[in-house]
Amino acid sequence: LSKFWSYRGDLGIWIDIEAAEVHQEIHRLDRCLVYKGLDRQGQPRHTPLQVSDSLVKGVFNVGAQAVARRDFFAKCDEGLTFSNGFVRADRDGVRLEPFDSDQRSTYRMPMSFPTKGEPSLFLQTLREIFQPDFDCEDKVRMVCEMIGACLVGQATRYQQGMIFVGDGANGKSLLINIISTLFQGKTITAIKPQDLGGRDHHYYVAALADSRVNLLNELPASKIWGGAAIKSAITGDPLVGRRIAQDPFTFRPRAGWMLAGNALPSVSDVTPGFFRRDSVAFFLKTRTEEGDLDGKCMGATKLFKKYSAWARLSRQEELSNTSFGMRLRKLGVQSKKTNMGRVYAIQMISAH
């Protein structure tokens, strides 16, 4: 995909130049005098330049080939550009550095980097969303790490996406909306997994070329067919995209996938390779009023089977049926015996 870039030292980032803008600059040369050699008297001879559409396209293509640098931005420094400098995070800590074109940054946060403090309100919001789950703090750290990976364009390194599932009034939409404010323009997309298996999937794939996060507030319940494309999008393997009226191009996606929905859709790909790509976060909700089990309940046997399946997929140590029941009671999950056996007042089970 031919694209021109220009470094803005005042912003600390590389800005992509639209092809139409380059074409306009070439068109401005129309009727300009160009050197045509010497006349019989040895004097310079000039003639007006005739700029046609074919000439514009030819100059554009030749210029693109002349300055092309393959995988230029694939070798960018790991970090994030703020208005007051480039922030690098590694094993040595977090450092604020001056702008440098060699950082090859293409995205900029519209604020200064705070050297002290933490986003206490955001962390409090996350804890309120995930409480009283026993793994609340793990989920908070997981979400924060995923957001950071998306911001620096390294989300595909983890080869996993995130899906937030719940009936409603559990904070998943609020979380998606908050995260979306950190991204602007082409760096944020809202592509449904179902779109990658459709007839025109190459056009949806192309939108991922510049994206750093793919956020979706309402995950459709329809079946997902594009298993191979979804795996490549999450793992960063090469994808072929195509923009309208343009040639196909190959690129490596780097957007992290964070989706929210009321239920998990069915999929055509049932291989372990597909299910490894999603880190599912169910929301656990319990009734707070004593004896109130009028909400959605789940049988003990079915609940334990779901927990066991999650433990195996997540490679977690699996509790016994008895220990699992004791853990639920310790968490305050209410239950009662019915004609069909014991049921728990659980709307969603917690997993990641």
Side-chain angles (χ1 to χ4, degrees), residues 156-157 159 231-239 251-254:
T156 53
R157 172 182 295 181
Q159 298 192 353
K231 284 188 287 188
S232 296
I234 293 177
T235 61
D237 291 335
L239 281 172
F251 69 99
R252 286 186 176 273
R254 55 179 177 171

Side-chain angles (χ1 to χ4, degrees), residues 10 33 46 49 51 80 84 155-156 164 189 191 227 239 241 252 257 285 294 326 344:
D10 56 327
L33 296 178
H46 300 85
L49 178 66
V51 178
L80 188 60
N84 59 336
T156 53
F164 302 102
T189 49
I191 297 173
L239 281 172
R252 286 186 176 273
W257 284 62
K285 297 293 181 182
D294 294 333
M326 293 175 60
Y344 288 90

Side-chain angles (χ1 to χ4, degrees), residues 82-134:
F82 287 79
S83 60
N84 59 336
F86 181 81
V87 176
R88 189 187 305 275
D90 52 30
R91 294 181 178 179
D92 296 328
V94 179
R95 305 186 303 279
L96 182 65
E97 302 176 355
F99 296 145
D100 193 316
S101 61
D102 288 337
Q103 293 158 352
R104 304 184 184 183
S105 175
T106 59
Y107 184 65
R108 181 177 185 267
M109 297 295 289
M111 79 279 289
S112 296
F113 175 70
T115 56
K116 295 182 179 180
E118 64 176 20
S120 55
L121 182 59
F122 177 61
L123 294 176
Q124 177 185 342
T125 300
L126 288 178
R127 292 187 177 102
E128 291 176 355
I129 289 175
F130 291 117
Q131 287 174 350
D133 296 6
F134 70 92

